Amino acid sequence: MPVWEGFLVPVLEVLSDGVERGRREMFQLAADRAGLTEEQRSEVLDSGQTKANNRIGWALSALARSGAIDRPSRGRYVISERGRALLAEYPTVLTQRVLFPDGRGRRKASSSASTTGEAEDSALDPLEQVDEGVTRYNADVAVQLLERLRAQEPAFLEQAVLDLLVAMGYGGADKRVQRLGGSGDGGVDGVIDQDALGLDRVYVQAKRYAADNTVGRETIQAFVGALHGQHATRGIFITTSRFSAGAEEYAKGINARVILIDGERLARLMIRYGVGVQTKHTYRLVEIDEDFFE
């Protein structure tokens, strides 16, 4: 049975014809392309999922996070231009080191290539395996969160980010928050108390952009101008895409305190503070109580 990286090329080969396919179909076709035997296909994990589907699922998630495949809708996959380029350059063997050259999304150097969470395929101890699995699962959820946010109306994102800020502790003792989005909003989408007494207020701008849309310096300058119009010195600009280097540099150099939150950080914060997500499983980890045995 190949480790999960061994399914990266088969998955890209299946999608190389440009046809959009569902997750269940991908399990079958990727297993066929990898030449799995019936015995290999029937191997089952303790969770009840087949080992092959588990590893193909990790491959799909990694390829999606790296931009090698796109997800037009939930549970649907299609190859991207980056995926075609990777397949052309690595037609037989593709690794996560190639997928994530900057190290983001890659396993720790001490671990082996497998990410199934099984001891025989990993150098990680059981606790590290749990942590690694949760991290990778949440990374996949983060991608799906951004996809969902981009598919909603702008007003939905505006309210979602205000809900997030309240969950993070903003809004004061009475959770005072106001959405201002719409015509005549003065260039801000919401305002929220920073402290319990409402002595200081933070103005918020939320922009629903596609993944490849970069927020430039000019947009942040316009937001800062809107803050001045409100006689405000603190603002948060949130986007479902990313910021240009010029925008980040500008935000750091101005007198007003402006925090920029890109799509990746937005998704992480939503997961951390439980906004737009729900707990799927809770696990209880125990260790020996040394005092009991003294």
Side-chain angles (χ1 to χ4, degrees):
M1 170 76 70
V3 297
W4 75 273
E5 285 182 320
F7 289 98
L8 293 173
V9 169
V11 166
L12 289 178
E13 287 178 337
V14 169
L15 293 172
S16 62
D17 59 5
V19 175
E20 179 185 321
R21 291 187 170 87
R23 190 175 181 86
R24 183 174 300 179
E25 184 181 12
M26 286 303 304
F27 287 156
Q28 177 66 41
L29 295 179
D32 292 343
R33 183 73 64 159
L36 298 189
T37 65
E38 288 303 318
E39 182 179 2
Q40 289 173 319
R41 295 169 193 254
S42 64
E43 292 184 51
V44 179
L45 301 173
D46 292 340
S47 64
Q49 184 183 31
T50 65
K51 184 180 292 187
N53 286 359
N54 184 64
R55 296 185 180 187
I56 293 170
W58 280 121
L60 285 167
S61 296
L63 289 167
R65 293 199 308 275
S66 71
I69 60 177
D70 294 324
R71 284 189 277 206
S73 59
R74 185 178 183 183
R76 304 289 296 179
Y77 303 91
V78 65
I79 196 168
S80 68
E81 288 303 313
R82 180 169 191 250
R84 293 188 185 281
L86 286 171
L87 186 58
E89 188 173 0
Y90 304 94
T92 57
V93 178
L94 181 59
T95 66
Q96 62 174 333
R97 187 175 296 277
V98 174
L99 285 183
F100 306 102
D102 59 356
R104 293 164 62 183
R106 191 187 305 163
R107 288 176 62 83
K108 300 174 184 177
S110 61
S111 69
S112 68
S114 170
T115 58
T116 62
E118 300 167 86
E120 69 268 24
D121 292 324
S122 176
L124 299 177
D125 65 39
L127 186 58
E128 288 177 319
Q129 291 178 36
V130 172
D131 182 67
E132 180 79 8
V134 170
T135 298
R136 286 182 173 272
Y137 188 90
N138 285 350
D140 192 41
V141 172
V143 172
Q144 296 179 53
L145 263 177
L146 287 178
E147 291 174 351
R148 295 294 189 90
L149 289 174
R150 293 181 185 124
Q152 302 296 324
E153 294 297 321
F156 184 93
L157 176 64
E158 293 166 6
Q159 187 60 54
V161 299
L162 292 176
D163 291 344
L164 172 61
L165 291 172
V166 168
M168 293 173 66
Y170 290 92
D174 299 323
K175 306 298 182 185
R176 288 192 290 262
V177 58
Q178 182 180 5
R179 189 171 72 83
L180 305 174
S183 58
D185 61 13
V188 294
D189 294 322
V191 59
I192 190 167
D193 288 344
Q194 183 180 7
D195 58 87
L197 298 178
L199 297 175
D200 204 353
R201 313 191 85 188
V202 178
Y203 288 80
V204 182
Q205 179 71 277
K207 288 296 185 182
R208 185 202 62 173
Y209 288 146
D212 58 353
N213 190 325
T214 301
V215 179
R217 177 187 178 116
E218 297 79 7
T219 302
I220 305 305
Q221 286 177 318
F223 178 55
V224 171
L227 292 181
H228 290 162
Q230 299 286 345
H231 304 289
T233 59
R234 301 178 188 276
I236 303 174
F237 194 108
I238 301 176
T239 181
T240 54
S241 60
R242 59 182 181 274
F243 297 97
S244 69
E248 293 178 344
E249 182 179 352
Y250 172 76
K252 292 177 182 178
I254 58 179
N255 291 328
R257 179 64 170 162
V258 175
I259 300 299
L260 306 183
I261 299 178
D262 62 15
E264 183 179 334
R265 186 180 180 190
L266 170 62
R268 290 201 310 269
L269 289 171
M270 291 181 70
I271 292 173
R272 178 179 177 182
Y273 290 96
V275 177
V277 299
Q278 59 184 355
T279 300
K280 184 174 182 179
H281 291 295
T282 300
Y283 297 94
R284 179 170 175 259
L285 300 177
V286 299
E287 63 180 8
I288 294 294
D289 182 354
E290 298 296 346
D291 293 337
F292 179 84
F293 292 95
E294 288 184 354

